[in-house]
Amino acid sequence: LDSLGTEAQSTDVTQLETQTAPVPHQRLEEIPFYSPRKGAWKLKIPRHLLRRPGALKGFHQFLVHEADTGGLSRQEEVSMLPALVSDIQPWCKVLDMCAAPGSKTLQLMEMLVGSAWTSPAGTEPPGEVGSSVTRQLVTGFIQANDNSFSRANMLITRSQRLVLCAPHLLVTHHDGTNMPPLKDGTHNTVYYDRVLCDAPCSGDGTLRKDITVWVNWTPTLSFRCHALQCRLLRRALQLVAVGGTVTFSTCAMS
């Protein structure tokens, strides 16, 4: 949210009226765990209030426009963690196994290109340890995969907003549990430095915002998702390079 932070960081949203009642005094807050990137901000205004006619209409239109043109990405805080802990560097070959609808992929793309400006000493690619570089050439890429054709198309549409990152993105449509190996120009298998698997799940960890999840939850659903998650994790471990990192995440507690 860099553009949002620079344009609206010091702007108070004070007593903004909606159809029913004024919105309490709010101010943009930086998300602390995202530092030192300083690119994430939050505003505690419910979504349904943003969409109502009134004084917030202009702000909502600003958010929509910036999201459509790639100026910012709207994402839940907890959803930012998997990509953040993956430690993406500009030389990393990254596989996002279950990428759609694409919020984490967009984050990975931004981190891949943005890290070239901020990579400190000690984070160089293997074989180049000790080089003091402030601006690295981006040699890595992100392979965003999803087993749903329609969701993969949606991922392509979303990723087109980040024009500068587009040369480093490859979108594929495969079953993640049987992900075919990627080959380089000499037909050698490419192993990934980072593998992110945000696996399908029962979603019971999202009860705090959607109580209907509990109504539809069954033990059978949980066990079925668990078997799928194990197969995805096994394939991720087979595809990661020696010394690489697999980040596995779900929205479930079961």
Side-chain angles (χ1 to χ4, degrees), residues 82-253:
L84 190 62
V85 301
S86 296
D87 187 29
I88 304 300
Q89 301 298 325
W91 46 267
C92 285
K93 298 182 288 291
V94 184
L95 171 63
D96 190 356
M97 293 187 73
C98 309
S103 60
K104 294 180 180 65
T105 303
L106 294 179
Q107 187 184 0
L108 290 170
M109 291 169 63
E110 185 274 332
M111 295 173 71
L112 180 74
V113 176
S115 62
W117 292 99
T118 59
S119 295
T123 60
E124 300 87 351
E128 300 182 17
V129 177
S131 60
S132 178
V133 181
T134 56
R135 175 66 174 104
Q136 297 186 37
L137 177 67
V138 180
T139 57
F141 65 88
I142 295 172
Q143 181 179 352
N145 179 74
D146 201 88
N147 69 339
S148 168
F149 182 78
S150 60
R151 286 165 62 87
N153 276 331
M154 179 172 56
L155 175 61
I156 293 174
T157 301
R158 294 192 65 180
S159 62
Q160 288 175 340
R161 302 168 186 170
L162 296 182
V163 179
L164 294 177
C165 304
H168 306 280
L169 177 67
L170 168 67
V171 177
T172 56
H173 167 48
H174 294 293
D175 177 6
T177 64
N178 193 29
M179 189 81 187
L182 189 66
K183 302 290 184 177
D184 61 15
T186 57
H187 302 287
N188 292 319
T189 299
V190 174
Y191 292 96
Y192 302 92
D193 303 296
R194 306 287 187 267
V195 177
L196 173 59
C197 182
D198 188 48
C201 63
S202 63
D204 56 29
T206 63
L207 288 174
R208 58 181 174 79
K209 65 177 183 180
D210 186 5
I211 194 62
T212 60
V213 173
W214 178 248
V215 178
N216 298 323
W217 184 89
T218 63
T220 302
L221 172 62
S222 181
F223 282 118
R224 185 168 64 246
C225 290
H226 175 70
L228 173 61
Q229 291 164 6
C230 288
R231 295 197 301 272
L232 286 168
L233 180 57
R234 185 181 300 112
R235 188 57 182 151
L237 294 173
Q238 293 170 345
L239 293 172
V240 71
V242 175
T245 301
V246 173
T247 303
F248 187 86
S249 62
T250 70
C251 299
M253 298 177 290

Side-chain angles (χ1 to χ4, degrees), residues 30-36 40 76-81 84 107:
E30 185 178 358
I31 298 177
F33 67 76
Y34 213 78
S35 296
E76 190 175 8
E77 284 182 68
V78 69
S79 179
M80 298 177 180
L81 291 174
L84 190 62
Q107 187 184 0

